[in-house]
Amino acid sequence: MSSSTGLGRIEPSAAERGAARTAPAPKAPRRRPRGHPLGGSRWTPWLYLAPALAVLAALLVYPVYQLGLISFLQYTQAQVSGGEPTSFQGLDNYATLFSDSQFWSVLLATLVFAAACVIGTLAVGCTLAVLLTRVRALPRLALMLAALGAWATPAITGSTVWMFLFDPDFGPVDRLLGLGDHSWTYGRYSAFLLVLLEVVWCSFPFVMITVYAGIRAIPGEVLEAAALDGASQWRIWRSVTAPMLRPILTVVTIQSVIWDFKVFTQIYVMTNGGGIAGQNLVLNVYAYQKAFASSQYSLGSAIGVVMLLILLAATLVYLRVLRRGGEEL
């Protein structure tokens, strides 16, 4: 029984107080594992990725294994025809490759050419991305469709079209510029410039669309505040927009480096296999010539392994930046 006090408050009896003490405490809500908002196992993402990883492994693991194996063997046309047995060479093929001055000159040309392509692609893509935010809906749609058309054009088709545009006999560019029958593929730098323009033309849509999406995600109040403070458009881009787009710009830069470093089709088609006396060689075309034109499959495989290691390092940097950029976003 409970008793009442003078103030009208009912005091619990001894039995009720004992029952309250012996009652089990309510269980705390079960916490989900950290990093898994849906409470699933940490292996759940890998289960979703398993089919794609299986296909990639089937398409990549064995060819990469064969590439590395041949780079350590003496593998020529005789071995391809099933003649003499191959002999293990160890690192001799790599020693021969690294002692070749042409390899280093081609590597330097590849690095410079890839850097120029990346800078040109980023400049054109970012400029057009800003332009998309300034024009009306109809011009924006037309520009996006034109860019996606360039993006969807196969590399060999785009290279053939650009060769026609700059053809010394029938191309319209030389006539518009008044250059007569000037051959763009005869000189080393003019040929590299022509290929660079084609690479930028087919690569800038990725940068443009990605950066445009990033700009649209920036709060309008930030840009309006900068404009009210008297900042020019260039100052707004340099001091406000670019820092906020740093994760996206880093990702598209590294992606462009990977793509432009392994350019093959444009160089091979537009310079007819590397230019006069190999003056327009890049590593991909150089490896092709060593392996298939000279039947030095071991040296060609060694060049492929070197490119694979360089691109693997760039890919690891890309994945690290992508993960960090996702955390920042």
Side-chain angles (χ1 to χ4, degrees):
M1 294 294 293
S2 58
S3 59
S4 302
T5 63
L7 298 177
R9 183 165 57 90
I10 300 176
E11 294 291 340
S13 64
E16 291 173 345
R17 290 195 298 268
R21 285 196 299 267
T22 58
K27 294 183 178 181
R30 185 178 180 181
R31 298 184 62 184
R32 290 170 179 169
R34 188 175 181 181
H36 298 278
L38 298 180
S41 171
R42 66 175 183 174
W43 298 106
T44 302
W46 294 103
L47 293 177
Y48 287 110
L49 293 174
L53 292 177
V55 173
L56 290 176
L59 295 176
L60 295 178
V61 172
Y62 183 73
V64 170
Y65 164 75
Q66 286 292 330
L67 181 71
L69 179 62
I70 293 176
S71 68
F72 292 105
L73 301 176
Q74 182 184 1
Y75 208 88
T76 60
Q77 187 61 42
Q79 284 73 45
V80 174
S81 303
E84 304 174 3
T86 59
S87 60
F88 185 74
Q89 298 293 313
L91 298 177
D92 291 347
N93 292 322
Y94 293 94
T96 302
L97 181 66
F98 294 148
S99 62
D100 187 4
S101 59
Q102 187 181 17
F103 167 75
W104 295 106
S105 63
V106 172
L107 177 60
L108 178 61
T110 304
L111 294 175
V112 174
F113 176 74
C117 290
V118 171
I119 294 174
T121 301
L122 291 177
V124 175
C126 292
T127 301
L128 292 179
V130 175
L131 179 63
L132 287 176
T133 63
R134 299 285 188 266
V135 297
R136 296 182 179 274
L138 187 59
R140 185 188 307 123
L141 178 62
L143 180 56
M144 284 188 173
L145 291 177
L148 291 178
W151 174 258
T153 302
I156 189 169
T157 304
S159 301
T160 304
V161 171
W162 277 77
M163 286 292 294
F164 168 75
L165 293 176
F166 289 86
D167 185 85
D169 297 322
F170 306 102
V173 175
D174 284 354
R175 297 181 181 180
L176 292 176
L177 298 179
L179 298 177
D181 57 351
H182 174 72
S183 177
W184 290 80
T185 58
Y186 184 80
R188 181 186 185 187
Y189 298 107
S190 61
F192 269 128
L193 176 62
L194 182 60
V195 178
L196 184 147
L197 293 175
E198 201 278 334
V199 171
V200 171
W201 173 75
C202 67
S203 301
F204 82 88
F206 169 74
V207 178
M208 183 190 75
I209 299 298
T210 306
V211 175
Y212 172 71
I215 294 175
R216 298 294 295 179
I218 297 176
E221 295 81 2
V222 177
L223 301 178
E224 292 178 3
L228 291 176
D229 288 340
S232 61
Q233 293 298 326
W234 167 247
R235 183 63 183 274
I236 293 175
W237 166 262
R238 184 171 61 89
S239 302
V240 179
T241 307
M244 299 185 72
L245 293 177
R246 185 177 291 113
I248 294 177
L249 292 176
T250 304
V251 169
V252 297
T253 299
I254 298 176
Q255 184 70 64
S256 298
V257 169
I258 296 174
W259 285 343
D260 296 337
F261 184 78
K262 58 185 183 67
V263 167
F264 173 82
T265 305
Q266 292 88 340
I267 288 285
Y268 190 83
V269 172
M270 301 179 71
T271 64
N272 194 21
I276 301 174
Q279 63 181 2
N280 296 114
L281 285 176
V282 293
L283 279 180
N284 246 346
V285 181
Y286 184 58
Y288 178 85
Q289 287 192 352
K290 285 293 184 182
F292 298 101
S294 303
S295 297
Q296 297 176 327
Y297 298 98
S298 299
L299 287 179
S301 298
I303 299 172
V305 170
V306 172
M307 289 189 61
L308 177 63
L309 294 177
I310 295 175
L311 290 177
L312 180 61
T315 303
L316 292 177
V317 173
Y318 168 71
L319 294 176
R320 183 178 179 86
V321 172
L322 185 63
R323 181 178 180 183
R324 185 178 302 175
E327 294 175 356
E328 293 178 2
L329 293 176

